[in-house]
Amino acid sequence: MKNKYCPSDIEGPIYEKWEKLDCFKKQERDNQESFCIMLPPPNITGHLHMGHAFQHSLIDTLIRYHRMQGKNTLWQVGTDHAGIATQIIIEQNLFLATGKNKKDFKRKELIEQVFPWKNSLNKQIFHQMRRLGCSADWSRSRFTMDEGFTRAVNEVFVKLYKDGLIYRGKRLVNWDPILGTAISDLEVEYMKSQGFIWYIRYPLADGVKTGEEKQYVVIATTRPETLLGDTGIAINPLDERYHKLIGKFVLLPFLNRRLPIVADKNIDMSKGTGCMKLTPAHDFKDYEIAQKYKLPLINIFNLDGTIRTSAQVFNYQGTMTNTLSTQIPKEFHGLSRQEAREKIISSLKNIGLLEKKESYELVLPSGEKSRAIIEPMLTDQWYLRTRDLAKIAIEAVKQKKINFVPEKYENMYFSWMSNIQDWCLSRQLWWGHRIPAWYDETGKIYVGRNEQEVRRSNHLHDKIFLTQDDDVLDTWFSSGLWTFGTLGWPEKTDLLRLYYPTSVLVSGFDIIFFWIARMIMLSMYFIKDENGQGQVPFKTVYITGLIKDEQGNKMSKSKGNVIDPLDIIDGISLEELLKKRTDHMLQPKLANNIKLRTKKQFPQGIKSHGADALRLTLTSLSCPSRNINFDLKRLEGYRNFCNKLWNAGRFVLQNTESSVFISDIHQNKKTLADRWILAEFNRTVKIYRNALDNYRLDLAANILYEFTWNKFCDWYLEITKIVFKSNSQSRQCIARYTLIKVFESLLRLAHPIIPFITEYIWLRLNKLRENNESIMSQEIPLYQSSEEDDSALNDMELMKQVIVYIRNIRTLMNMSVNHKIDLLIRPCNSTRVNYNIIYANFELLQSLAKVKNIRTISNDSLPMIRTTKLIADIEIHIPLSDGRTSNMEYKRLNNLITKLGERIQSLEIRLSNKNFLSHAPKEVVLKMGEQLRILQEKKQILLIKESMFKNS
């Protein structure tokens, strides 16, 4: 092994060897327990980010852990076609290359442009995963639009349609006027914006007046342009201002449309004027009220968000009707929503119906991809009835067929599922699974796996012209089949038999409803056991938090805080980092600020840390929290840990040889230190594996760190150095045996989290055994109750406390490292067990604490100047010095304390000055507060020292 740990030298060759040896391939042994994890398929639209690296590190840790238990393991990987995002990027690329838009291409031509691009990004995504050390079965990689998956999607759609669960209807959806498609709630972002609220007078019809003798009611609205689509007015029946108006009518400005006044207890009387206009074709809340009171629906917008030349009028069920006029005043035709708003406000002002306007903070729904303001729109879409499916899925979790970890996320799941609405399946795109439905010339719908099947099953001859539906399925629909579609369904494959239900799903809390719940519903409907009962897709749902930057902000390109995992693993120069963060920005004006922040945060770029350090950092952060702040300083600490392990490996290899593999006949000769480290490791195995079994990977990482650094390296390696310098061959032989036994087992224990460095060291360590297999094919260490040794743990803890106490006194008293001290001990009770342990391990005190002598003393012979500590019923005394020296030391310390006090007082005065605090930069105040804290701690240490000499 080289002197310096350099992860870039070892990680690439090791991964190549694993792939060459097919170490990741699925196993299919009938007599073994199976463990399977499905990768949440990343979108093919870009590189993986830190959130992906976080989840993939956790998944790979679990896969490696269960593989080392001898189970059949499968990590099923693949990618998602990401309908909307992919089509946006392809259209942008085509426009840049040719100057042409979507309308200039045929559907087939555009789709043909996608696959080469998809293959390139697929390669990049899998390269990132390999670089992270992911031990996935790459030979089984799937894509949500590959041939087999397309077959599964069509099979599911057709059966759901024939079973009456899929239907086509006109409903209100989130409509993106720029993309020209319906989008899911997950693809809608809500942005705060400063706007206005307008107060508009709606004249009362039929001579009716309010209790205040007014001939109108006032409506407060932030969207006056939707006034043209109003079909009612709603008030709270408990509102004394308006309850006499229930059942009456108002006249809609411009059109004189009669709008009924209805009572709804959900109307907030304190909001606005307490009188709410209803535009059910363009507002989700209004739509719900309209359904209760059977109010008509009037669509006033074209699909691009402009005002129509004539309205579309539907009854509350979405069927077109002629019960109301479709007239829209000509002056509004073709106007954008903003233009229509300005025109309507101006017209209302001119006719005296605009009462006032006020500033108002809005929360605007915008398209995540397009940034367009979303318009609730009545459109014809395909829907899945979900209520009955949801009931079964809810019961599966209640009956603990599926367990959420942490359990608290069950409540989020139950809340969503109990209020579930029918699922809008269709999207107005070209890229995706085209809906397997055909229409004849009369508009009649035929659903089948393909056109030939439709014609055959419906006895349609070739002269009947059929047109396939232009829409594609929501991406979440195909990904909802991921757990069984990837295993060969609808065929009854061996993989499906062996690995279904899968073991655990690792995912973020933000897609519990959009993906996890839908997988449960669809899986339990299509996958049945031998008794015909629906099977769950996975037994455990391990919910992770979301990775944020060190300040808790969401990572995004517009904020310039995105970090590519490869840049942490391999490093990146400042110049390359700046280019990566500012190229191809949707908002180029932000580039300068991003460059300034990046230069301040990474003045030298990001240095290489290696995959193991990144994995260990991410694993240690996987606490049960919704938001996880990623701090590069913490990464540096785990990089140091890997370096510590590397140096430990070098020490072990330099001090062991083939003869160390001795038989157990020498076990009774083990020293306290040998017995202690074996017992400590056995205990570590128990709590480490318990943490992994309960999905507390953060605890497992911390347990591994604690044992490796603070016990094995800081204590046992130091003790073995003493033994190797001694003249006892038998003790050296036992120490070597213990050293290599613990270290080899430690490497196996650590492998699931830090696979590269453990593989590299383990192979070199095991050349002594002529074992060249990968560490991942070895058994994970087992806890052995027979190897418990409480007495060794307790005795060594006593020695450690004594040694640490002596070392602390040395530091406090500024003693030279080589200055040997006398140790005085006085037992406080009749037992002599602890007393004898100290004497029996005097060699440890000599070497690790520089103790010259140990003497047992009585009260009468205690020195005047000393330090004293009670450890395990023994008084430990350390003589300090004679009276003259003590007096000098007291004066020196007193002088230091006085000077420190003056500096502390000065800082306290400044930090209590309100004028200073209000004008000084925040970072200056924080730095000053930290300086004060350090000085106060230093003063406390000096006061402790001073007290030792005060009465000398």
Side-chain angles (χ1 to χ4, degrees), residues 711-724:
K711 295 183 173 66
F712 183 75
C713 292
D714 278 4
W715 285 98
Y716 189 69
L717 291 190
E718 294 304 309
I719 291 171
T720 57
K721 290 176 184 177
I722 300 168
V723 176
F724 293 155

mmCIF file with all atom_site columns, all heavy atoms in Angstrom, residues 711-724:
data_model
loop_
_atom_site.group_PDB
_atom_site.id
_atom_site.type_symbol
_atom_site.label_atom_id
_atom_site.label_alt_id
_atom_site.label_comp_id
_atom_site.label_asym_id
_atom_site.label_entity_id
_atom_site.label_seq_id
_atom_site.pdbx_PDB_ins_code
_atom_site.Cartn_x
_atom_site.Cartn_y
_atom_site.Cartn_z
_atom_site.occupancy
_atom_site.B_iso_or_equiv
_atom_site.pdbx_formal_charge
_atom_site.auth_seq_id
_atom_site.auth_comp_id
_atom_site.auth_asym_id
_atom_site.auth_atom_id
_atom_site.pdbx_PDB_model_num
ATOM 1   N N   . LYS A 1 711 ? -11.713 3.782  19.091 1.00 0.00 ? 711 LYS A N   1
ATOM 2   C CA  . LYS A 1 711 ? -11.358 2.569  19.843 1.00 0.00 ? 711 LYS A CA  1
ATOM 3   C C   . LYS A 1 711 ? -10.220 1.803  19.174 1.00 0.00 ? 711 LYS A C   1
ATOM 4   O O   . LYS A 1 711 ? -9.168  1.592  19.772 1.00 0.00 ? 711 LYS A O   1
ATOM 5   C CB  . LYS A 1 711 ? -12.585 1.677  20.023 1.00 0.00 ? 711 LYS A CB  1
ATOM 6   C CG  . LYS A 1 711 ? -13.673 2.308  20.890 1.00 0.00 ? 711 LYS A CG  1
ATOM 7   C CD  . LYS A 1 711 ? -14.834 1.379  21.102 1.00 0.00 ? 711 LYS A CD  1
ATOM 8   C CE  . LYS A 1 711 ? -15.839 1.944  22.109 1.00 0.00 ? 711 LYS A CE  1
ATOM 9   N NZ  . LYS A 1 711 ? -16.520 3.157  21.628 1.00 0.00 ? 711 LYS A NZ  1
ATOM 10  N N   . PHE A 1 712 ? -10.432 1.422  17.919 1.00 0.00 ? 712 PHE A N   1
ATOM 11  C CA  . PHE A 1 712 ? -9.424  0.595  17.265 1.00 0.00 ? 712 PHE A CA  1
ATOM 12  C C   . PHE A 1 712 ? -8.142  1.387  16.989 1.00 0.00 ? 712 PHE A C   1
ATOM 13  O O   . PHE A 1 712 ? -7.047  0.951  17.367 1.00 0.00 ? 712 PHE A O   1
ATOM 14  C CB  . PHE A 1 712 ? -9.982  0.027  15.956 1.00 0.00 ? 712 PHE A CB  1
ATOM 15  C CG  . PHE A 1 712 ? -9.037  -0.902 15.249 1.00 0.00 ? 712 PHE A CG  1
ATOM 16  C CD1 . PHE A 1 712 ? -8.819  -2.187 15.721 1.00 0.00 ? 712 PHE A CD1 1
ATOM 17  C CD2 . PHE A 1 712 ? -8.356  -0.486 14.115 1.00 0.00 ? 712 PHE A CD2 1
ATOM 18  C CE1 . PHE A 1 712 ? -7.936  -3.044 15.075 1.00 0.00 ? 712 PHE A CE1 1
ATOM 19  C CE2 . PHE A 1 712 ? -7.481  -1.335 13.458 1.00 0.00 ? 712 PHE A CE2 1
ATOM 20  C CZ  . PHE A 1 712 ? -7.268  -2.615 13.939 1.00 0.00 ? 712 PHE A CZ  1
ATOM 21  N N   . CYS A 1 713 ? -8.260  2.541  16.326 1.00 0.00 ? 713 CYS A N   1
ATOM 22  C CA  . CYS A 1 713 ? -7.061  3.298  15.943 1.00 0.00 ? 713 CYS A CA  1
ATOM 23  C C   . CYS A 1 713 ? -6.438  4.038  17.130 1.00 0.00 ? 713 CYS A C   1
ATOM 24  O O   . CYS A 1 713 ? -5.230  3.936  17.370 1.00 0.00 ? 713 CYS A O   1
ATOM 25  C CB  . CYS A 1 713 ? -7.399  4.286  14.828 1.00 0.00 ? 713 CYS A CB  1
ATOM 26  S SG  . CYS A 1 713 ? -7.820  3.491  13.266 1.00 0.00 ? 713 CYS A SG  1
ATOM 27  N N   . ASP A 1 714 ? -7.260  4.795  17.868 1.00 0.00 ? 714 ASP A N   1
ATOM 28  C CA  . ASP A 1 714 ? -6.705  5.639  18.932 1.00 0.00 ? 714 ASP A CA  1
ATOM 29  C C   . ASP A 1 714 ? -6.220  4.846  20.140 1.00 0.00 ? 714 ASP A C   1
ATOM 30  O O   . ASP A 1 714 ? -5.342  5.314  20.876 1.00 0.00 ? 714 ASP A O   1
ATOM 31  C CB  . ASP A 1 714 ? -7.756  6.654  19.390 1.00 0.00 ? 714 ASP A CB  1
ATOM 32  C CG  . ASP A 1 714 ? -7.794  7.860  18.462 1.00 0.00 ? 714 ASP A CG  1
ATOM 33  O OD1 . ASP A 1 714 ? -7.074  7.842  17.452 1.00 0.00 ? 714 ASP A OD1 1
ATOM 34  O OD2 . ASP A 1 714 ? -8.554  8.805  18.738 1.00 0.00 ? 714 ASP A OD2 1
ATOM 35  N N   . TRP A 1 715 ? -6.762  3.657  20.342 1.00 0.00 ? 715 TRP A N   1
ATOM 36  C CA  . TRP A 1 715 ? -6.372  2.883  21.523 1.00 0.00 ? 715 TRP A CA  1
ATOM 37  C C   . TRP A 1 715 ? -5.659  1.570  21.174 1.00 0.00 ? 715 TRP A C   1
ATOM 38  O O   . TRP A 1 715 ? -4.502  1.385  21.541 1.00 0.00 ? 715 TRP A O   1
ATOM 39  C CB  . TRP A 1 715 ? -7.592  2.592  22.405 1.00 0.00 ? 715 TRP A CB  1
ATOM 40  C CG  . TRP A 1 715 ? -8.026  3.795  23.181 1.00 0.00 ? 715 TRP A CG  1
ATOM 41  C CD1 . TRP A 1 715 ? -9.021  4.656  22.883 1.00 0.00 ? 715 TRP A CD1 1
ATOM 42  C CD2 . TRP A 1 715 ? -7.428  4.297  24.394 1.00 0.00 ? 715 TRP A CD2 1
ATOM 43  N NE1 . TRP A 1 715 ? -9.111  5.667  23.814 1.00 0.00 ? 715 TRP A NE1 1
ATOM 44  C CE2 . TRP A 1 715 ? -8.147  5.466  24.769 1.00 0.00 ? 715 TRP A CE2 1
ATOM 45  C CE3 . TRP A 1 715 ? -6.381  3.872  25.203 1.00 0.00 ? 715 TRP A CE3 1
ATOM 46  C CZ2 . TRP A 1 715 ? -7.833  6.210  25.902 1.00 0.00 ? 715 TRP A CZ2 1
ATOM 47  C CZ3 . TRP A 1 715 ? -6.071  4.612  26.343 1.00 0.00 ? 715 TRP A CZ3 1
ATOM 48  C CH2 . TRP A 1 715 ? -6.785  5.764  26.683 1.00 0.00 ? 715 TRP A CH2 1
ATOM 49  N N   . TYR A 1 716 ? -6.342  0.697  20.448 1.00 0.00 ? 716 TYR A N   1
ATOM 50  C CA  . TYR A 1 716 ? -5.741  -0.629 20.278 1.00 0.00 ? 716 TYR A CA  1
ATOM 51  C C   . TYR A 1 716 ? -4.474  -0.586 19.441 1.00 0.00 ? 716 TYR A C   1
ATOM 52  O O   . TYR A 1 716 ? -3.483  -1.266 19.772 1.00 0.00 ? 716 TYR A O   1
ATOM 53  C CB  . TYR A 1 716 ? -6.739  -1.618 19.678 1.00 0.00 ? 716 TYR A CB  1
ATOM 54  C CG  . TYR A 1 716 ? -6.176  -3.032 19.704 1.00 0.00 ? 716 TYR A CG  1
ATOM 55  C CD1 . TYR A 1 716 ? -6.006  -3.703 20.915 1.00 0.00 ? 716 TYR A CD1 1
ATOM 56  C CD2 . TYR A 1 716 ? -5.772  -3.652 18.540 1.00 0.00 ? 716 TYR A CD2 1
ATOM 57  C CE1 . TYR A 1 716 ? -5.453  -4.971 20.963 1.00 0.00 ? 716 TYR A CE1 1
ATOM 58  C CE2 . TYR A 1 716 ? -5.216  -4.925 18.567 1.00 0.00 ? 716 TYR A CE2 1
ATOM 59  C CZ  . TYR A 1 716 ? -5.056  -5.575 19.787 1.00 0.00 ? 716 TYR A CZ  1
ATOM 60  O OH  . TYR A 1 716 ? -4.500  -6.836 19.825 1.00 0.00 ? 716 TYR A OH  1
ATOM 61  N N   . LEU A 1 717 ? -4.448  0.192  18.367 1.00 0.00 ? 717 LEU A N   1
ATOM 62  C CA  . LEU A 1 717 ? -3.229  0.259  17.563 1.00 0.00 ? 717 LEU A CA  1
ATOM 63  C C   . LEU A 1 717 ? -2.069  0.830  18.372 1.00 0.00 ? 717 LEU A C   1
ATOM 64  O O   . LEU A 1 717 ? -0.923  0.381  18.244 1.00 0.00 ? 717 LEU A O   1
ATOM 65  C CB  . LEU A 1 717 ? -3.454  1.102  16.307 1.00 0.00 ? 717 LEU A CB  1
ATOM 66  C CG  . LEU A 1 717 ? -4.379  0.528  15.236 1.00 0.00 ? 717 LEU A CG  1
ATOM 67  C CD1 . LEU A 1 717 ? -4.295  1.358  13.968 1.00 0.00 ? 717 LEU A CD1 1
ATOM 68  C CD2 . LEU A 1 717 ? -4.057  -0.928 14.924 1.00 0.00 ? 717 LEU A CD2 1
ATOM 69  N N   . GLU A 1 718 ? -2.374  1.821  19.211 1.00 0.00 ? 718 GLU A N   1
ATOM 70  C CA  . GLU A 1 718 ? -1.320  2.394  20.052 1.00 0.00 ? 718 GLU A CA  1
ATOM 71  C C   . GLU A 1 718 ? -0.792  1.369  21.046 1.00 0.00 ? 718 GLU A C   1
ATOM 72  O O   . GLU A 1 718 ? 0.411   1.324  21.341 1.00 0.00 ? 718 GLU A O   1
ATOM 73  C CB  . GLU A 1 718 ? -1.843  3.628  20.777 1.00 0.00 ? 718 GLU A CB  1
ATOM 74  C CG  . GLU A 1 718 ? -2.185  4.795  19.858 1.00 0.00 ? 718 GLU A CG  1
ATOM 75  C CD  . GLU A 1 718 ? -1.007  5.198  18.993 1.00 0.00 ? 718 GLU A CD  1
ATOM 76  O OE1 . GLU A 1 718 ? 0.088   5.412  19.551 1.00 0.00 ? 718 GLU A OE1 1
ATOM 77  O OE2 . GLU A 1 718 ? -1.176  5.276  17.766 1.00 0.00 ? 718 GLU A OE2 1
ATOM 78  N N   . ILE A 1 719 ? -1.679  0.552  21.556 1.00 0.00 ? 719 ILE A N   1
ATOM 79  C CA  . ILE A 1 719 ? -1.260  -0.470 22.523 1.00 0.00 ? 719 ILE A CA  1
ATOM 80  C C   . ILE A 1 719 ? -0.423  -1.543 21.828 1.00 0.00 ? 719 ILE A C   1
ATOM 81  O O   . ILE A 1 719 ? 0.581   -2.023 22.388 1.00 0.00 ? 719 ILE A O   1
ATOM 82  C CB  . ILE A 1 719 ? -2.497  -1.082 23.208 1.00 0.00 ? 719 ILE A CB  1
ATOM 83  C CG1 . ILE A 1 719 ? -3.158  -0.035 24.113 1.00 0.00 ? 719 ILE A CG1 1
ATOM 84  C CG2 . ILE A 1 719 ? -2.123  -2.320 24.020 1.00 0.00 ? 719 ILE A CG2 1
ATOM 85  C CD1 . ILE A 1 719 ? -4.502  -0.450 24.661 1.00 0.00 ? 719 ILE A CD1 1
ATOM 86  N N   . THR A 1 720 ? -0.815  -1.942 20.608 1.00 0.00 ? 720 THR A N   1
ATOM 87  C CA  . THR A 1 720 ? -0.036  -2.979 19.913 1.00 0.00 ? 720 THR A CA  1
ATOM 88  C C   . THR A 1 720 ? 1.364   -2.475 19.570 1.00 0.00 ? 720 THR A C   1
ATOM 89  O O   . THR A 1 720 ? 2.307   -3.270 19.503 1.00 0.00 ? 720 THR A O   1
ATOM 90  C CB  . THR A 1 720 ? -0.741  -3.429 18.620 1.00 0.00 ? 720 THR A CB  1
ATOM 91  O OG1 . THR A 1 720 ? -0.972  -2.306 17.772 1.00 0.00 ? 720 THR A OG1 1
ATOM 92  C CG2 . THR A 1 720 ? -2.049  -4.119 18.924 1.00 0.00 ? 720 THR A CG2 1
ATOM 93  N N   . LYS A 1 721 ? 1.506   -1.169 19.361 1.00 0.00 ? 721 LYS A N   1
ATOM 94  C CA  . LYS A 1 721 ? 2.849   -0.632 19.115 1.00 0.00 ? 721 LYS A CA  1
ATOM 95  C C   . LYS A 1 721 ? 3.768   -0.899 20.310 1.00 0.00 ? 721 LYS A C   1
ATOM 96  O O   . LYS A 1 721 ? 4.960   -1.183 20.147 1.00 0.00 ? 721 LYS A O   1
ATOM 97  C CB  . LYS A 1 721 ? 2.770   0.874  18.843 1.00 0.00 ? 721 LYS A CB  1
ATOM 98  C CG  . LYS A 1 721 ? 2.121   1.223  17.509 1.00 0.00 ? 721 LYS A CG  1
ATOM 99  C CD  . LYS A 1 721 ? 1.970   2.730  17.341 1.00 0.00 ? 721 LYS A CD  1
ATOM 100 C CE  . LYS A 1 721 ? 1.233   3.079  16.050 1.00 0.00 ? 721 LYS A CE  1
ATOM 101 N NZ  . LYS A 1 721 ? 1.015   4.548  15.898 1.00 0.00 ? 721 LYS A NZ  1
ATOM 102 N N   . ILE A 1 722 ? 3.187   -0.814 21.511 1.00 0.00 ? 722 ILE A N   1
ATOM 103 C CA  . ILE A 1 722 ? 3.949   -1.100 22.734 1.00 0.00 ? 722 ILE A CA  1
ATOM 104 C C   . ILE A 1 722 ? 4.373   -2.565 22.746 1.00 0.00 ? 722 ILE A C   1
ATOM 105 O O   . ILE A 1 722 ? 5.523   -2.909 23.047 1.00 0.00 ? 722 ILE A O   1
ATOM 106 C CB  . ILE A 1 722 ? 3.104   -0.793 23.980 1.00 0.00 ? 722 ILE A CB  1
ATOM 107 C CG1 . ILE A 1 722 ? 2.696   0.682  23.985 1.00 0.00 ? 722 ILE A CG1 1
ATOM 108 C CG2 . ILE A 1 722 ? 3.853   -1.158 25.245 1.00 0.00 ? 722 ILE A CG2 1
ATOM 109 C CD1 . ILE A 1 722 ? 1.638   1.006  25.022 1.00 0.00 ? 722 ILE A CD1 1
ATOM 110 N N   . VAL A 1 723 ? 3.414   -3.448 22.395 1.00 0.00 ? 723 VAL A N   1
ATOM 111 C CA  . VAL A 1 723 ? 3.686   -4.888 22.411 1.00 0.00 ? 723 VAL A CA  1
ATOM 112 C C   . VAL A 1 723 ? 4.772   -5.237 21.399 1.00 0.00 ? 723 VAL A C   1
ATOM 113 O O   . VAL A 1 723 ? 5.684   -6.019 21.676 1.00 0.00 ? 723 VAL A O   1
ATOM 114 C CB  . VAL A 1 723 ? 2.397   -5.682 22.112 1.00 0.00 ? 723 VAL A CB  1
ATOM 115 C CG1 . VAL A 1 723 ? 2.692   -7.181 22.028 1.00 0.00 ? 723 VAL A CG1 1
ATOM 116 C CG2 . VAL A 1 723 ? 1.344   -5.401 23.175 1.00 0.00 ? 723 VAL A CG2 1
ATOM 117 N N   . PHE A 1 724 ? 4.697   -4.651 20.190 1.00 0.00 ? 724 PHE A N   1
ATOM 118 C CA  . PHE A 1 724 ? 5.664   -4.978 19.147 1.00 0.00 ? 724 PHE A CA  1
ATOM 119 C C   . PHE A 1 724 ? 7.071   -4.496 19.491 1.00 0.00 ? 724 PHE A C   1
ATOM 120 O O   . PHE A 1 724 ? 8.050   -4.975 18.923 1.00 0.00 ? 724 PHE A O   1
ATOM 121 C CB  . PHE A 1 724 ? 5.220   -4.380 17.807 1.00 0.00 ? 724 PHE A CB  1
ATOM 122 C CG  . PHE A 1 724 ? 3.965   -5.010 17.246 1.00 0.00 ? 724 PHE A CG  1
ATOM 123 C CD1 . PHE A 1 724 ? 3.148   -4.298 16.377 1.00 0.00 ? 724 PHE A CD1 1
ATOM 124 C CD2 . PHE A 1 724 ? 3.603   -6.315 17.592 1.00 0.00 ? 724 PHE A CD2 1
ATOM 125 C CE1 . PHE A 1 724 ? 1.999   -4.875 15.863 1.00 0.00 ? 724 PHE A CE1 1
ATOM 126 C CE2 . PHE A 1 724 ? 2.454   -6.892 17.082 1.00 0.00 ? 724 PHE A CE2 1
ATOM 127 C CZ  . PHE A 1 724 ? 1.645   -6.178 16.224 1.00 0.00 ? 724 PHE A CZ  1
#
